[in-house]
Amino acid sequence: MVATLYINGLWREASDGGSHDVQSPHDQSVVATVSQASQTDVLDAIAAARASFDSGVFTSWSFKERSELVAKIADLLERDADVIARKESDDTGKRFIEAQYDVADVVATFRHFASLGAKEHGRSVDVGIAHVSSRIVHEPLGVASLIGPWNYPLLQIAWKVAPALAAGCSFIIKPSELTPQSAIALTKIIEEAGTPKGVANLILGPGSVVGSSLISDPRVDLVSFTGGLTTGQTIMKAAATTIKKLALELGGKNPHIIFADADLDAAIDNAVTAAFLHSGQVCSAGTRLIVERSVHDRVVTEIVHRAGKIKLGGPNDESAETGPLISKSHLANVSTYVEKAIAEGATLLIGGERSDKAEHAKGWYFLPTVFDNCTSDMSCVQDESFGPIMTVEIFDTEAQAIAIGNDTVFGLSGGLWSGDSQKCARVASALRHGTIWVNDFGPYRPAAEWGGYKQSGIGRELGEHGLGEYLEIKHIWTNNAPSRSGWFKDL
């Protein structure tokens, strides 16, 4: 039996004895066995979070005190960075060095919110009356369900946990059932740092089993979810009954525009990284390449050449440049996406199938794939594959590039390359996406907000707004010279 659920300050097994084997996407080996929560466990976790919040055991801490806790967690994460990175690498199949980068970003996230939380929160409003004090204060929102994805398991949970702690919320962490180990490690650190009992709780299991109460229970005030659009829509419907606050990051189909006057060598290099890093399993992946006609052949020929040289391999293969897909079912989804693209008339230039190398036989490896002759009406252009698949479209004018880049229900991120700074400014302003990279693609910092337009989600993570998602705003009006209103006549 395994005790990997954390509820009301105690590590415990699932109430019904349920457990789950975590398999490596690299070779299907079992890398961990963890508890799989029952509905009873979920309700216990919600009750613990609600009781801790209502008791004031954590909300009574000052912003400064909570920021010191968040900073201590950052220190402990840094201490255990390589151990946690190994767990992340085992679960996701990504290279160990990538997992190390991810954990370093997690530490930076906690440090950002520790710094942000220590600042002054609130303001005074001048109402023009000498004896009236009018103050705006920020208070902890309440109980939050924090639901993370499998592609960046610890990082995406950290974007939620760090501001929740700084704000003074109580919460339930629910990582993907495919990648739970780093969330377990983080919860142990949260406990070690001295977080009060019941504030942080950890539930493990598939959303189909444990998700319903986390998003619909009236004792939960906020649901923060990172994942697919369909699940996000389900969460919105379920949350409507109690008018919960929502923070949703639902992925994207991100345009990557290359103008003819760009530094083409840099643009091509970044385009390959944007599409094929982590085998395309990135919500902000630049998998929708939009190229000016006059340089199309040069750009696409070189991208295909480079895609064919990408080295696939497992977590411990130091020569590998990217890894496997997360699961057998996801590989099947990506394969179906390719079949549909071919049926729609897209031209397959390279890849499009599972790797046939012997060293990849037990894993879920899919070759870097490039489709040319794509148009905006194709589902392969509109739908998110979440795999190593690039589609290529052509434009002739700046206006066409903008129109194509905005022709999507999503709006998470986008990039553009040009040597004309004024053109860059115009296009960046016109693109309807939450993050725009100009002559770059992919970098972010915890101090800058992250989130999308349209069906890429609601709200923002990171930056100052990332903390604001976990705070309620209250106006307190104090009359220091009380008197009769005199509105109605005396009877």
Side-chain angles (χ1 to χ4, degrees), residues 94-413:
K94 68 175 61 176
R95 298 177 303 150
F96 179 58
I97 190 171
E98 286 187 50
Q100 287 178 307
Y101 289 142
D102 293 346
V103 177
D105 284 349
V106 169
V107 173
T109 296
F110 274 87
R111 295 210 190 285
H112 163 68
F113 282 108
S115 174
L116 187 62
K119 295 180 179 179
E120 182 65 28
H121 296 275
R123 71 183 194 276
S124 295
V125 177
D126 184 357
V127 297
I129 305 173
H131 58 270
V132 169
S133 166
S134 177
R135 295 185 299 119
I136 305 298
V137 299
H138 296 79
E139 299 179 343
L141 176 68
V143 173
S145 292
L146 311 179
I147 305 172
W150 47 257
N151 59 332
Y152 288 91
L154 186 59
L155 184 61
Q156 295 295 324
I157 285 292
W159 286 13
K160 307 175 191 302
V161 169
L165 285 169
C169 294
S170 294
F171 52 86
I172 305 99
I173 301 169
K174 209 298 279 186
S176 168
E177 69 275 15
L178 300 176
T179 54
Q181 288 198 84
S182 56
I184 296 170
L186 172 61
T187 305
K188 289 180 178 179
I189 283 176
I190 291 171
E191 179 184 40
E192 180 184 350
T195 306
K197 182 178 71 172
V199 169
N201 302 273
L202 175 67
I203 287 294
L204 305 178
S208 59
V209 176
V210 305
S212 177
S213 293
L214 290 175
I215 61 179
S216 62
D217 194 295
R219 293 170 293 180
V220 174
D221 302 297
L222 163 72
V223 178
S224 178
F225 168 77
T226 300
L229 174 59
T230 301
T231 304
Q233 292 168 332
T234 299
I235 289 173
M236 286 194 74
K237 292 175 183 177
T241 58
T242 52
I243 318 297
K244 296 187 193 306
K245 188 173 182 180
L246 294 176
L248 304 176
E249 201 263 78
L250 306 178
K253 188 67 177 181
N254 311 291
H256 197 179
I257 302 170
I258 299 178
F259 287 93
D261 59 358
D263 179 334
L264 291 183
D265 181 64
I268 290 167
D269 178 74
N270 278 269
V272 171
T273 303
F276 302 125
L277 177 71
H278 194 16
S279 288
Q281 299 172 120
V282 183
C283 56
S284 57
T287 54
R288 187 181 183 188
L289 194 68
I290 303 167
V291 187
E292 191 163 355
R293 187 180 302 275
S294 63
V295 294
H296 165 271
D297 291 353
R298 176 182 171 186
V299 168
V300 173
T301 298
E302 183 60 23
I303 285 176
V304 169
H305 171 69
R306 297 188 189 193
K309 295 172 64 178
I310 293 173
K311 174 73 165 57
L312 279 62
N316 300 314
D317 183 349
E318 294 185 0
S319 67
E321 295 171 305
T322 192
L325 298 178
I326 188 65
S327 66
K328 181 179 181 180
S329 62
H330 187 47
L331 185 142
N333 290 338
V334 172
S335 298
T336 299
Y337 180 97
V338 168
E339 293 169 3
K340 289 182 178 179
I342 294 172
E344 288 179 310
T347 303
L348 178 64
L349 299 182
I350 192 170
E353 60 186 359
R354 185 176 180 178
S355 171
D356 62 1
K357 291 188 176 181
E359 61 266 32
H360 300 152
K362 294 183 179 180
W364 314 122
Y365 288 90
F366 201 89
L367 296 174
T369 300
V370 179
F371 279 106
D372 200 3
N373 298 318
C374 298
T375 56
S376 293
D377 58 346
M378 293 179 174
S379 62
C380 64
V381 170
Q382 294 295 331
D383 297 341
E384 186 179 31
S385 71
F386 223 63
I389 300 174
M390 176 189 290
T391 62
V392 183
E393 298 165 84
I394 295 175
F395 70 91
D396 292 299
T397 68
E398 181 181 319
Q400 286 180 333
I402 293 168
I404 294 170
N406 284 333
D407 186 5
T408 169
V409 299
F410 295 107
L412 184 61
S413 66

